[in-house]
Amino acid sequence: SIAESVADEDYLGDKKYAKELYQKAEDLAEEGYDYKSIAASVAQENTLGDKDWARNLFQKAEDLAEDLNDYSSIAESVADEDYLGDKKYARELYQKAEDMAEDSGDFRDIAMSVAKNAGLDDKKYAKELFKKAEDLAENSSDYNDIAVYVAWEQYLGDKKYAKELFKKAEEMAEDSGDFRNIAMSVADEDYLGDKKYAKELYQKAEDLAEDSSDYSGLARSVANEDYLGDKKYAKELFKKAEKLIEDDEHSGLLEEYIPSEIMKHLIWLADDVLKEDGFNDKDYARDLYKKAESYAKTGDDFITLSSAIEELDEEWADKLRDQGTGGVESEIKCPECGKDIHFYWGDINNDTYRAFFVDSEGQKTEETKILPRMDRVDEVKDESFYMCSGGNCGTTWDDLDDL
C-alpha cells in the first residue's frame, strides 16, 4: 500500500504522513477484511507499530464478521507476533468461530488455523478441534481430509493420530477412487510418507477398479514420484486399462462408431502415459498412438490423432493431418508455428464448437475437426474466433481485424 511504502525506513520513512494515509484507508473501509488488512499493516514495526490502533481496527473487523472463516482469519492476524500478538483475544475469536461450526469440515478448518506456527500455534487446542472434526466425519473423504492436516508438520504433525484416521478412512472407503485418494495421502512425504501402506491401499483400489479410466487414474498416481513412484506397477495398470479399452463392446453405440470410440480412449491413455509428472514413457505412448491409428477410419479420426501426437512426433502428425483433410488446408498460416488457422464458432444449439478452413481473406471454407481440447470445454459459448490448428500452439485471435 502507499502508507506502507511511506512509513518504511527504506523508502520515505515518514510516519506522520503514513498515519494520515492509514486514516484515509480506515475512512474508506467497508468490510471486515478491509479493517483486518489495515490493522495488520498498522501493527507492523516497519510501518507504524501502533498496537492500540491495530486492536481497535481488529475489533471493527470482528464487528463485521459474518461466518467462522471471518473469525478464524481475524484470529490468525491477532495472534501473529508480527501484528498484535494477543493470544488471549485470538482464543476468544476462535471460540466464536467454533460456536458457528456445523460439520466436520468446519472444525477441521478452525483446527488448521489454530495450529499454524505464525498464529496461535496451540497444538493442544488444535488437536481438540481435530477430534471434534473426527466425531462429525461422515465418510472416507472426511477422515482422509482430517488425517492429512493432522499428519502435516506445519499443522499438528501427529503421525500416530493421522494413521488412526487414515485407517478409519480406509474402513469407510466404498470404491476405487476412495482407496486411491487415501493411498495418495498416505504415500505423500508431507503427510504420512508410508509407501508400504500406500501400496496396500493402491492394490485395494485396483481390486475395485471397474473401467479403463479407473486403471489409468491409478497408474498415473502410482507412477508419480510424489506418491508411490512405482513405474513397474504403473505399467501393469496401464496395460490393464489398454486391454479394457479394446475389449469393451461399447454397447449402445452403432457399430460404425465403435472404432472411433476405441481410438479416442487409446489416445487419452497415451496422453496419460506421456505426462511428465507421471509415467513419462514416450516409447509406450508411441505404441498406444500407433494402435489408435489402426482404429482411425474417418478424416476426423486422423485429424484428432494428429493433434494428439503433435508434441511427440510433428512429422507423423503432419502426415496424419494431410490424410484426414485430403490435402485441404487453410490459406492463412499461424505466424507462431506455421500451422493452419481455423475459424471457430460456438454452435450452442448442438453444444459444440465447429471449425473451418479459411481462405486468404479469412473467410471460412470447408468444415474440419475441432482440436480435442475444444471438445472437452465446460461450456460452449455463443462466439466466434480464429485459432491455430497446432495442438501445441493454440494461438487465438478474436476477429478478422485482430488476425
Side-chain angles (χ1 to χ4, degrees), residues 176 183 195-209 214-216 218-224 228-241 279 284:
S176 179
K195 308 295 184 184
K196 181 181 177 184
Y197 178 27
K199 187 160 187 177
E200 294 171 6
L201 291 164
Y202 276 121
Q203 287 170 335
K204 290 184 177 183
E206 180 186 356
D207 291 341
L208 292 175
D214 285 343
Y215 282 104
S216 180
L218 273 174
R220 288 199 314 272
S221 180
V222 164
N224 194 311
L228 210 56
D230 189 333
K231 305 295 186 183
K232 181 181 177 184
Y233 182 25
K235 182 75 174 277
E236 293 171 5
L237 292 166
F238 275 126
K239 284 291 186 182
K240 289 183 178 182
F279 198 56
Y284 181 30

Side-chain angles (χ1 to χ4, degrees), residues 178-397:
D178 285 343
F179 280 105
R180 182 186 67 190
N181 290 336
I182 305 165
M184 290 164 65
S185 300
V186 165
D188 196 314
E189 293 295 338
D190 285 336
Y191 309 142
L192 209 56
D194 188 334
K195 308 295 184 184
K196 181 181 177 184
Y197 178 27
K199 187 160 187 177
E200 294 171 6
L201 291 164
Y202 276 121
Q203 287 170 335
K204 290 184 177 183
E206 180 186 356
D207 291 341
L208 292 175
E210 297 179 348
D211 54 34
S212 61
S213 64
D214 285 343
Y215 282 104
S216 180
L218 273 174
R220 288 199 314 272
S221 180
V222 164
N224 194 311
E225 293 296 335
D226 289 338
Y227 305 125
L228 210 56
D230 189 333
K231 305 295 186 183
K232 181 181 177 184
Y233 182 25
K235 182 75 174 277
E236 293 171 5
L237 292 166
F238 275 126
K239 284 291 186 182
K240 289 183 178 182
E242 179 184 350
K243 186 175 187 303
L244 278 176
I245 289 170
E246 292 194 280
D247 289 349
D248 192 335
E249 296 180 357
H250 297 282
S251 58
L253 276 181
L254 293 175
E255 188 173 348
E256 62 190 284
Y257 296 128
I258 291 177
S260 293
E261 189 70 13
I262 294 174
M263 181 205 73
K264 181 171 67 176
H265 282 84
L266 286 170
I267 289 173
W268 292 344
L269 185 64
D271 290 346
D272 286 342
V273 166
L274 199 55
K275 281 184 170 64
E276 291 185 1
D277 62 348
F279 198 56
N280 194 21
D281 187 330
K282 292 183 178 179
D283 291 335
Y284 181 30
R286 182 181 291 275
D287 290 343
L288 288 167
Y289 286 130
K290 196 69 181 172
K291 183 175 283 189
E293 184 181 2
S294 71
Y295 287 97
K297 305 297 179 186
T298 68
D300 283 353
D301 288 345
F302 287 106
I303 294 171
T304 298
L305 183 56
S306 168
S307 297
I309 69 167
E310 191 168 32
E311 184 177 352
L312 181 66
D313 190 326
E314 192 169 352
E315 184 178 350
W316 183 16
D318 287 342
K319 289 179 180 178
L320 289 168
R321 187 176 291 107
D322 289 343
Q323 192 171 351
T325 63
V328 177
E329 59 183 53
S330 287
E331 294 182 36
I332 303 178
K333 307 297 180 182
C334 176
E336 300 293 330
C337 70
K339 301 294 183 186
D340 282 356
I341 289 175
H342 292 158
F343 174 79
Y344 273 79
W345 70 273
D347 184 355
I348 57 175
N349 291 328
N350 292 300
D351 196 31
T352 186
Y353 281 94
R354 297 174 66 182
F356 297 82
F357 294 108
V358 296
D359 62 20
S360 60
E361 300 298 319
Q363 300 302 310
K364 64 182 184 182
T365 57
E366 295 187 37
E367 188 166 3
T368 184
K369 181 71 173 176
I370 64 177
L371 287 173
R373 67 168 171 269
M374 296 302 295
D375 201 21
R376 298 196 290 269
V377 295
D378 293 331
E379 177 187 5
V380 175
K381 299 178 180 178
D382 185 11
E383 62 182 347
S384 62
F385 52 89
Y386 293 89
M387 178 184 283
C388 173
S389 63
N392 295 327
C393 180
T395 303
T396 61
W397 299 266

Side-chain angles (χ1 to χ4, degrees), residues 146-153 156-159 162 166 190-192:
I146 302 165
V148 162
Y149 294 106
V150 164
W152 205 348
E153 289 297 334
L156 204 58
D158 188 334
K159 308 292 186 184
F166 281 127
D190 285 336
Y191 309 142
L192 209 56

